[in-house]
Amino acid sequence: MQPAVEVSENALTERQKDVLDAALTLLVEAGDTLTMTSVARRASCSKESLYKWFGDRDGLLTATVQWQAAKVRGVPVDPEAFSLTSLTSGLERFASDWLRVLSGTISVALNRVAVGHAGSDKHDLGAIVLENGPFAMARRLKPLLQLGRDTGLMSFDDTDEAFRTFFGLVVRDVQIRLLLGDRFELTEAAINRDARRATQQFLALYGVHTKAADDGH
Amino acid sequence: MQPAVEVSENALTERQKDVLDAALTLLVEAGDTLTMTSVARRASCSKESLYKWFGDRDGLLTATVQWQAAKVRGVPVDPEAFSLTSLTSGLERFASDWLRVLSGTISVALNRVAVGHAGSDKHDLGAIVLENGPFAMARRLKPLLQLGRDTGLMSFDDTDEAFRTFFGLVVRDVQIRLLLGDRFELTEAAINRDARRATQQFLALYGVHTKAADDGH
DNA sequence: GCCGTACCGTACCGTACGTTACGGCAGGGT
DNA sequence: ACCCTGCCGTAACGTACGGTACGGTACGGC
């Protein structure tokens, strides 16, 4: 028996992408209780094809998580004409984007199954989500932070520490509450307000003050 | 058939407590894959007793979570002879205690199963963990925060917002990374260092400065 | 001594679901 | 026209596990 689609093998046919999208919506609806039969029915494909393409249930889940992760790329920052204003707006934009993704039903569902399977997996969904979640965020934000430090707008020793503080100020208890099933009103206005507040707090802690930045609540 | 032990019925015999402790260790070892049979074998009791005492598998999990929650009570703060020093040490002590609990294997295991079951439960483990986790922390910390404000050491409009900021500064990405299975070195020294840093940052944001509090990394 | 209660150990049942196997159909190459 | 490949739909298999039933033992009350 062939080991089916390898993780490194990213050649997905359109048909397979459709199947993974169906699996995603089922994951949102039913969580980890989705069955191979339900995926096959929803995607109008045979279970035989599922097993041929993805090996087993775990492989299907892994491919689904990776398929979603592949869709959330992009949005780097431009290191042109840098100022306190562009640093601030960059941080705010980053924070609001992040909160929007984080509070989305797909992100919540994916993190749920990854947390449930963490550690005891052959493919280890937890590591995949970790890699495409917090770690990817760190990689995307750090250039902006270092640019801010190099231009003398911020001051910190350890970029990673600074990132993790920003993480805390942005996410706070939102993610864990959502994962635990707390019904959460997170309107567009609230997201933007939180992004501004987190940015102001972050600059108050790490920014080089010419004039004292006041708190913004 | 009787509805077995009600949630409000907290009268647990010693035998039942032993069983719940066995279930706890199994939860740490095997996560949500623990079976009724494995609990019975580990606790040297019959499955019949499990079902008589706890109704069904969900009831056993619920009782286990509540049993653990009941063990983590206490440590209120004393509103005597209050000063910046006692506020600082109170916040630090709270933060380090919290990080210690959060990073413990039991907490991680419990949060894992609760996240896995969130929303689609009759007993809703998510709500229970939420209630005994973040919400209980908020209830325990808020008196200290308000005391700090009333004595003019801190300034903020919304106690809940202040708490959530403290939450973010303390927990940062630690919890989600642990839940996703990231191997994490969290030594006693690191915990104390993080607690100090979070406290200093929190006071820098919300404290009333007589002398500028510097960051502490 | 006899009964009732509480419990252990284990065998058993029903079912859900992962996984496999098979029959049928459509399209493309020869 | 024939075959081969890829896929759908469905039936079937195997098993793990939640839940139940039952026999056996210890103990306290009478």
Side-chain angles (χ1 to χ4, degrees), chain B residues 28-134:
Chain B
V28 171
E29 292 173 15
D32 200 10
T33 67
L34 96 168
T35 66
M36 299 298 277
T37 306
S38 72
V39 173
R41 194 162 41 219
R42 179 67 68 100
S44 296
C45 76
S46 69
K47 290 210 290 181
E48 189 180 28
S49 299
L50 290 185
Y51 284 99
K52 175 154 59 168
W53 292 334
F54 307 109
D56 57 4
R57 186 175 185 277
D58 230 51
L60 173 64
L61 285 178
T62 305
T64 305
V65 170
Q66 288 176 326
W67 167 235
Q68 169 66 12
K71 292 196 287 191
V72 204
R73 288 292 159 78
V75 198
V77 290
D78 48 344
E80 302 274 335
F82 204 66
S83 67
L84 179 58
T85 311
S86 55
L87 172 63
T88 305
S89 69
L91 290 174
E92 279 184 17
R93 184 167 145 59
F94 191 89
S96 59
D97 281 358
W98 197 355
L99 281 174
R100 230 182 316 274
V101 170
L102 211 66
S103 59
T105 57
I106 295 183
S107 171
V108 170
L110 254 45
N111 276 277
R112 286 230 179 99
V113 315
V115 164
H117 287 211
S120 54
D121 260 356
K122 45 186 172 199
H123 295 303
D124 205 348
L125 294 181
I128 295 173
V129 171
L130 209 49
E131 186 59 35
N132 293 283

Side-chain angles (χ1 to χ4, degrees), chain B residues 169-197:
Chain B
L169 288 171
V170 172
V171 177
R172 302 198 290 183
D173 57 358
V174 169
Q175 186 167 30
I176 187 64
R177 284 172 65 179
L178 286 172
L179 290 182
L180 286 173
D182 194 7
R183 317 273 181 277
F184 219 73
E185 289 292 332
L186 207 54
T187 65
E188 190 64 21
I191 287 177
N192 291 327
R193 190 175 346 111
D194 275 355
R196 268 200 303 281
R197 174 201 44 77

